Amino acid sequence: MTDVASSLEALAKRLAAAVEAANDEQALEAARVRYLGRNGEVTAIRRSIGRLAPADRPGAGKTINDAVAAMERVLDERRAGLAARDVEAALAHRIDVTFPAQPPALGTIHPIRRVIDDACAYFERHGFAVVLGPEVEPDYYNFDALNIPPGHPAREGFDSFWIDDTLLLRPHTSPMQIRTMQMHKPPIAIVAPGRCYRRDAVDARHLFQFHQIEGLLVDRGIHFGHLKGMLTGLCRTLFGAYQEVRFRPSYFPFTEPSAEVDTTCPKCTGHASACSMCGGSGWIELGGAGMVHPNVLREVGYDADAVCGWAFGFGAERLALVRYDVDDIRRFVDSDPDFLEQLGTIS
Amino acid sequence: MKVPISWLREFVELPAESNAIAQRLAMLGFPVEEIVRRPVIEGVVVGRLAEVDRHPNADRLFVCVVDVGDDAPLTIATAATNVAAGQIVPVARIGARLPNLRIERRTMRGIVSEGMLCSPDELALDPQWFDADGIMQLDESLPIGGDAVALLGLRDDVLDVEITSNRVDAMSVIGLARELAASYGVPLRLPSFVNAAKKPAEPAPRVGIASADCSYFVVQRFDHVHVGRSCARVRVRLALCGVRPLSSIVDVSNYVMLETGEPLHFYDAGSVQGGLVARDALPDEVLTTLDGVTRALDPKVLVIADESRALGVAGVMGGSSSEVGERTTSILLEAAAFAGARIRRSAQFVGLRTEASSRHERSVPPALADAACARAAQMLVELGAVAYAPVCAGSVHSAPRLSLTQHDVERTLGQVLAPGRIASHLRALGCEVDDRSEVLQVLPPAWRADLTIPADLVEEIARMEGYDAIEAVVPAVTAHDVSSREYERERQAARVMAALGYHETITYSLRARGGEGSVALRNPLSEEQRYLRSAIEPALLDDLARIGRPFRLFEIGHVFASEGGIVVEVPLLSMAVAGEQTNEPAWSDAQFIRLKGDLQAFLRELTGNAGSVRPVQRAGLHPGKTAGLSIGDVDVALFGRVEPRAERDRGASFPLYAGSVRLDRLGDTLRPRYRPPSRFPSTYRDLALAVGVEVSAESVEAATAHAIGDICTAVRVFDEYRGPQIEQGHKSIAVRAVMQRFDGTITDEEADAAVARAAATLHERLGATVRV
Ligand SMILES: [Zn+2]
């Protein structure tokens, strides 16, 4: 055995011992540098080849290369072993997944806005625009233009808050029908959500301020069936896929024919005679609707023989009471953190 | 309106079930608010008290021999004191069922009682309205032995029906019976409405109209009137309708009003001088109405007067001077048509609302006056009165004829109906229909003043078809030019605030207190809600004080101000924060800074621009902890710590902060454009400075950035300290400047030179010295 071979053998033994002792990647790398590194012990042996007879040099070179390869294998094996050990160790970790999370400090959107936004999004998907308007309105927009002239009995039904002889807090969102039609030519497809006011004493079912969602579609070829179609879709969006919608004849001066709109009670689906939501009738009243009265179309300068339209106005509080099973309408204006956190979402 | 089903059955064949009838009415547009259930009463018959004697063994009891139509009369003991021989009374026989009571044979002080005489209470009638002191009194009009419950109409339930304001014709039993008959497709059996009285009175009563608000006025005279008590059947019907039975004459007017919808009024003919005229009240006229109240009138009020004075408020309430009393033998009957709006004004002025005014203010059609007169005449004649021919003033103008095509119906309902079907629906409701051509000529019935345009007829057709029959179709919406921009911004604003940890709420827009420029309501519900809010924060802060723990609220809504007599309305987003109790030095407020960060993040989300901050003063906010935010030169937001006194007044136990954003002032959102980063590394230098306490962080940042020039990509004050180590009146702050080039790496020498420039500028402009 040559000197080279024997020193390599000794070296390999020492490397093997060092590798064996290395307990982590770092120690292993230190061993590699010490023996196989640029200034390592193998390099020293390699340099000694120059002192050999020229005929012996190739053999010695091969011996060194073979030894290096063997040593690298030892290193690689150990490296693989260490990695496997680390994975095993990681896999053995166990935590208590039920340990409580710290909830992020998110805020909430009010349930009334949730209902309004969901309703508006439904109409927007069908090509409607959403418009907003003032809460203080002249009687012209609230009444006259809506076919409710002074002295009309329907004016009293709106029991409004007046500011002076002509200005009042809007008792409904229908002024937005007039404002929109006066600003735009047909076709019109809008929803107008907003705050309204009526002189109702506050109790579990009434507030003197509430929100309505108004809808208006005016175009050629629009009929009563379209109203039913859109409102059925709205109820299914808000309350569930199996909602049915019922129209009952009613009277509003600004629509003809007019309807009260009911939807099946989502709480009892008509199967509980003592249902707290519908009183056992199986139906929930949502609000009024109808075909826009020809006088209203004429008032905004439309040709009532050419275009037709429908409109509806629903109470958002009513929709939210039903949708979230709220027992008292006053909770909507209570700022109760528990209420807001139970029903609010961030989007 | 309360309608006994038994009364409806007089005119139309109806299902047995009250629920089914109520359901049908609802689907015709007359929702039933309540079904007033009648208790089950069985075995009560009409009896005649043949003999009444004192009980031999009991002072307080009477023993009656009662003829109930059987061969043998019944012996019945009673404690009632109002019994006398000859009376017709309801008799509960053995086995009868009364509310909470079953009648059995029993022995009363030695006498076997074979039934019970019934009080109104036992028949579920209000004793105050009948015979409060004992047994209910019936009359000869009922057959002895007959089923009293059936004869009096006590079995069927009573429907409380809601009538829309356009359908005054349906505020009557006949009106609703007509609707039901048309809907069920069964005949309507009406009494005759032809006035049989043809003989003119001598002299004929004079009748006049001196106001445009009375279009028709009928007066009919009756002599030989006897004012007594109505028969039990009439009294029970009135009571079931919620109308108190009074005298036979007053009951006739109420009965006919309930049946036909036309309010009637009777005058004691002897108290009327000359004739009757409908006219405006005189400025200083007074009138004592039937309720005994003397009222000052006004020309706003329409009255019925004789030659010398007002006798009653037209269509609202009569006066006591011409009231029909026990001694009245001759009466004048008034039936008229008034303008609804005028009656409403009259009624409001005198502060009365009656069964009559609730109908007249909806403009009762003139044609009903003749029919109601005829019906009343028929009833009065049955009571023994002599009727004279009615005289009238004004006219009943006929309704316009309307044209209607199959296409009109299809266009509105989206449903194709055969012309014959359309015609038959309209005829069922009383319309005359000429269907000889494609264009139907329709003459609405005289009682339907609400049918004035073809669309009104389409609704009638839809009602008869049933709204349920209308097929739901989703329309295809044509492109239009209305934008959702304002709404989208509100929606986005709410979402950003929620993401920032704020909870949306809704507070009242009406507040107890207003200030200068506040808009006040003329008719508030209470002083607590007299003013339109000019700010949202106060309500939010009140709520936070009540919540009593750290919480964040926001609300989006309108605020109002009067500017030069014009109401200006602005959409605001307001927020309020109840923070944590902290122990900070006077020159620092971390929660204020967090609020600022929230607002700037909000503005950046909504506009693409975080805005710039400067100190401002605002009433109610802390003078040293309030700031305004502006974008360009537009003030968009204001926020700050609530002033300590205002905090204390609210009893808040946590520091309060508030702010508002003018949503109307946020311009369009800047669309961000991507700028690729430099390929060369950036470097930074920190400077520790001592500056006067009045020097703002923003001015330090601005001066630093200016001095360093283009290569400065970011500059930020990141620490502040005041304390014993720092000279009095000074503070220590640290600022970091980040530098980067797009065309090469910044060398250490370049960075050092830039910072030296900055230090010199800071010293020069702000008196800052670099601390080492
Ligand atoms: Zn239910």
Side-chain angles (χ1 to χ4, degrees), chain B residues 465-532:
Chain B
E465 279 290 315
Y467 277 20
D468 278 348
I470 289 156
E471 203 185 328
V473 185
V474 174
V477 172
T478 324
H480 56 84
D481 61 356
V482 185
S483 129
S484 305
R485 191 174 161 277
E486 211 181 328
Y487 166 73
E488 298 293 353
R489 187 160 51 202
E490 257 196 24
R491 180 159 64 181
Q492 192 192 3
R495 269 154 188 73
V496 173
M497 289 306 291
L500 288 168
Y502 292 75
H503 297 272
E504 187 175 23
T505 189
I506 294 172
T507 62
Y508 289 138
S509 305
L510 303 178
R511 305 280 292 170
R513 278 184 300 176
E516 203 181 328
S518 288
V519 181
L521 293 177
R522 206 153 69 171
N523 59 339
L525 275 172
S526 82
E527 288 306 316
E528 286 300 294
Q529 294 120 16
R530 175 167 284 280
Y531 295 96
L532 273 61

Side-chain angles (χ1 to χ4, degrees), chain A residues 265 268 275 278:
Chain A
C265 175
C268 70
C275 176
C278 64

Side-chain angles (χ1 to χ4, degrees), chain A residues 265-272 275-284:
Chain A
C265 175
K267 188 170 186 179
C268 70
T269 60
H271 297 299
C275 176
S276 62
M277 188 89 74
C278 64
S281 72
W283 294 97
I284 302 285

